[in-house]
Amino acid sequence: MLILPSQQTTTSMSAHLAQTMTLLGLTLGELQQKIDSELASNPALELMEERTCPMCQRPLPPRGPCPICSQPASSESQDPIVFISPREDFYTGSASSTGEVPEEPFVSESVDLPSYVLRQAAADLPTEDRVVAAYILTHLDEDGFLTTTALEVARYHHRLPSEITALIEKLKRYDPVGVCSANPIEAMLAQVEVLSEIMNVPAYTREVVSKYLHQMSQHHYSEIAHALMTSSQQIKKVAAFISENLNPFPARAHWGDVRSPNNNDSEVFHQPDILIYHHNENPANPLVVEIILPIRGTLRVNPLFKSSLKQMEPNKTEEWRSDIEKANLLIKCLQQRSNALKLLLEKLVVLQKDYILQGDLEMKPLTRAKIATMLDMHESTISRAVSSKTVQLPNKKIVPLAIFFDRSLSHRTLIKQIIEDEDHPLSDSEIQQLLKEQGIEIARRTVAKYRSMEGILPGNLRQSKNR
DNA sequence: CTATGGCACGGATT
DNA sequence: AATCCGTGCCATAG
């Protein structure tokens, strides 16, 4: 009895550190789960009601004025950045997967591909099909392709193969279009079908996609044209259509020269952990940085619980005491997590302000290690805090927080720009030369690598756009 | 012969 | 200690 308290404090100290570490590395969804389960299992933990600001409807910190409204729009004096944390958001229960389709542009909580598709599909499907659809959707690889076959699904669920194929065809039509296909060709065909309902699809597109994709990627237009008995002009139209509208890997962001900004799927599936935006959406206003917490209101140790501890029978106190310990620990760790994130972001936002405001070109090279020494934190702490988190920028794009440490992003976008502005296809070494004139010295090989990362064809295959 | 992509090495980063 | 990234070398295609 005499030893226990000290022992407890030491264990709780190390547990404290350990838990803070793990909390830092969690995604929003995981954190929410963690808190929910803790809330459910620990009677000492209490979730207080949130206070909302009467002006802007935002949740308030436990005490004090609203951090946004109290920040007058005019006083852009010295501190252009306001930090808010926490912010409630998307408090979805856990198991309401069917039913209402969310109409907000951002998917609530981090949703994986299967549930994302299922949400769209659920409303349209008869109940007996939903189960099968869910089953199918759990058999997808990271590209959104089926890892099983219609036949197997049919056998497993005792349904007719034809029913299953019909169902899969249906599923393919949901966003991302082509999901559940067996291979890229199928996926692209599905996309053609869907697109043909809303726009003109060049003739022969289906034939080319299903049979001549290989030649297409080699740019042997005339060959294909000959085989299909049409003009190579027509095939070029098809080529343009394909590269602009089709994505062979429905669940992946880009491939080859297919890359449209509004179709960056991988980013759609996250709910950002951090928001950066201008106050009232007005670019003249200061930037606001919000760190989102997955809960409404404030967590605390239930004071009633605490005070009644003394009046409890001694045989139960031990258990209760540990509950309180645990609750305290969790709260402490959460605070620390928020604090660490806040410190990190304060630095990060200042350092990468140009990027946040002006885009990819202005990304400064930065390493986690540098930030770590600046903040006097351990590198691994930064690493954990950065990984598996996403940020929504003022331009509404959601990017992984790790992008702030992408050394080559500015170079890549510069190359992209050079190629866009070229009037004559430049070779990689020519590009290297141009970059050198701008003071950027990188190897020719590296130019090639960046170029392909951006999904840009090599110079000799690009057609010159002489305007 | 030139331009590009693949492989792999070494140093930096995590 | 594991991983990522830039780069050099080499084979291949045009």
Side-chain angles (χ1 to χ4, degrees):
Chain A
M1 281 296 259
L2 288 169
I3 314 164
L4 266 177
S6 66
Q7 215 173 39
Q8 250 179 6
T9 41
T10 49
T11 48
S12 77
M13 278 303 279
S14 58
H16 180 199
L17 280 176
Q19 193 170 6
T20 309
M21 285 300 162
T22 48
L23 284 186
L24 249 188
L26 293 184
T27 63
L28 252 196
E30 290 162 347
L31 186 65
Q32 179 177 338
Q33 267 184 12
K34 168 98 187 168
I35 294 176
D36 280 351
S37 77
E38 205 67 29
L39 222 41
S41 69
N42 190 338
L45 199 61
E46 181 192 45
L47 184 60
M48 285 201 349
E49 290 229 347
E50 67 178 286
R51 296 162 54 213
T52 30
C53 169
M55 298 291 293
C56 63
Q57 304 283 19
R58 286 176 182 283
L60 292 178
R63 51 196 68 233
C66 174
I68 295 187
C69 296
S70 68
Q71 179 82 14
S74 53
S75 86
E76 307 142 42
S77 48
Q78 332 113 332
D79 188 12
I81 300 164
V82 185
F83 286 91
I84 306 171
S85 119
R87 178 197 160 171
E88 57 70 46
D89 220 330
F90 307 111
Y91 187 77
T92 53
S94 30
S96 62
S97 55
T98 48
E100 299 78 41
V101 183
E103 67 270 344
E104 335 100 57
F106 305 117
V107 184
S108 60
E109 79 186 281
S110 73
V111 166
D112 52 6
L113 183 60
S115 18
Y116 178 70
V117 180
L118 191 61
R119 277 190 198 187
Q120 306 168 63
D124 305 345
L125 295 176
T127 22
E128 68 268 21
D129 280 354
R130 283 186 205 165
V131 188
V132 188
Y135 175 83
I136 293 174
L137 287 168
T138 54
H139 287 258
L140 298 180
D141 64 14
E142 68 272 20
D143 287 328
F145 293 131
L146 219 51
T147 54
T148 176
T149 63
L151 221 64
E152 273 179 45
V153 180
R155 216 167 29 193
Y156 188 87
H157 284 274
H158 306 287
R159 301 283 292 270
L160 290 176
S162 59
E163 288 176 330
I164 302 299
T165 19
L167 178 59
I168 292 179
E169 286 306 317
K170 242 185 192 171
L171 289 177
K172 280 188 201 170
R173 303 180 60 86
Y174 294 106
D175 185 70
V177 179
V179 72
C180 296
S181 298
N183 54 53
I185 293 181
E186 251 188 49
M188 291 169 84
L189 283 174
Q191 289 163 24
V192 171
E193 289 313 315
V194 171
L195 284 174
S196 67
E197 291 163 17
I198 52 170
M199 62 189 286
N200 272 333
V201 176
Y204 298 104
T205 303
R206 290 176 182 80
E207 289 81 349
V208 171
V209 169
S210 49
K211 291 179 200 158
Y212 300 100
L213 221 48
H214 183 65
Q215 286 91 326
M216 205 59 164
S217 61
Q218 311 280 314
H219 295 255
H220 293 156
Y221 298 136
S222 48
E223 214 177 281
I224 305 171
H226 191 251
L228 288 175
M229 311 220 282
T230 179
S231 66
S232 57
Q233 202 56 40
Q234 179 63 32
I235 298 301
K236 274 186 190 161
K237 269 192 209 159
V238 175
F241 175 84
I242 290 179
S243 76
E244 259 175 55
N245 297 300
L246 301 188
N247 183 348
F249 302 103
R252 215 193 272 176
H254 55 83
W255 168 82
D257 43 2
V258 183
R259 184 166 213 201
S260 48
N262 50 7
N263 199 16
N264 268 348
D265 328 47
S266 59
E267 294 164 9
V268 176
F269 296 115
H270 294 276
Q271 199 244 301
D273 300 82
I274 296 144
L275 300 182
I276 304 178
Y277 57 90
H278 291 282
H279 183 212
N280 289 342
E281 303 292 324
N282 181 347
N285 284 339
L287 274 181
V288 180
V289 179
E290 273 188 53
I291 299 168
I292 295 177
L293 274 189
I295 46 163
R296 280 175 198 276
T298 323
L299 284 175
R300 65 169 186 182
V301 175
N302 189 333
L304 277 178
F305 196 93
K306 219 175 186 172
S307 57
S308 62
L309 179 65
K310 289 163 192 145
Q311 296 138 36
M312 290 304 298
E313 315 124 48
N315 57 341
K316 284 234 173 167
T317 42
E318 212 31 65
E319 187 189 335
W320 286 45
R321 175 187 286 284
S322 90
D323 273 349
I324 291 184
E325 277 285 320
K326 265 171 35 189
N328 257 325
L329 186 62
L330 183 74
I331 292 171
K332 272 233 182 71
C333 292
L334 276 173
Q335 282 171 351
Q336 201 150 104
R337 179 194 131 108
S338 304
N339 196 42
L341 273 177
K342 187 181 153 195
L343 287 176
L344 170 63
L345 281 182
E346 275 172 15
K347 268 280 178 293
L348 215 47
V349 169
V350 173
L351 289 174
Q352 298 287 19
K353 192 163 136 210
D354 291 341
Y355 162 74
I356 293 169
L357 295 176
Q358 336 216 348
D360 295 351
L361 257 181
E362 299 302 323
M363 177 66 72
K364 304 277 185 300
L366 184 65
T367 70
R368 294 159 173 78
K370 268 184 209 154
I371 284 269
T373 51
M374 292 176 75
L375 289 175
D376 218 14
M377 292 164 124
H378 198 16
E379 308 170 356
S380 65
T381 312
I382 307 289
S383 197
R384 284 175 176 284
V386 160
S387 67
S388 67
K389 295 209 177 38
T390 53
V391 190
Q392 183 180 63
L393 301 174
N395 61 16
K396 301 296 176 211
K397 278 208 176 124
I398 300 176
V399 298
L401 188 55
I403 208 176
F404 284 82
F405 300 94
D406 189 327
R407 235 173 325 171
S408 58
L409 187 66
S410 64
H411 292 173
R412 293 207 307 268
T413 40
L414 191 53
I415 290 175
K416 202 160 58 171
Q417 214 170 65
I418 289 177
I419 292 177
E420 266 168 27
D421 295 347
E422 83 193 355
D423 52 287
H424 153 78
L426 296 165
S427 76
D428 287 344
S429 18
E430 283 171 311
I431 295 175
Q432 180 199 8
Q433 209 46 45
L434 281 174
L435 286 172
K436 200 170 179 179
E437 286 163 25
Q438 301 199 27
I440 300 171
E441 295 207 30
I442 51 178
R444 176 237 108 213
R445 190 66 191 76
T446 310
V447 175
K449 207 155 200 174
Y450 287 169
R451 181 174 47 65
S452 68
M453 279 171 107
E454 291 300 327
I456 299 171
L457 287 169
N460 54 8
L461 296 181
R462 264 176 274 138
Q463 46 176 291
S464 70
K465 34 193 163 201
N466 17 339
R467 319 164 217 174

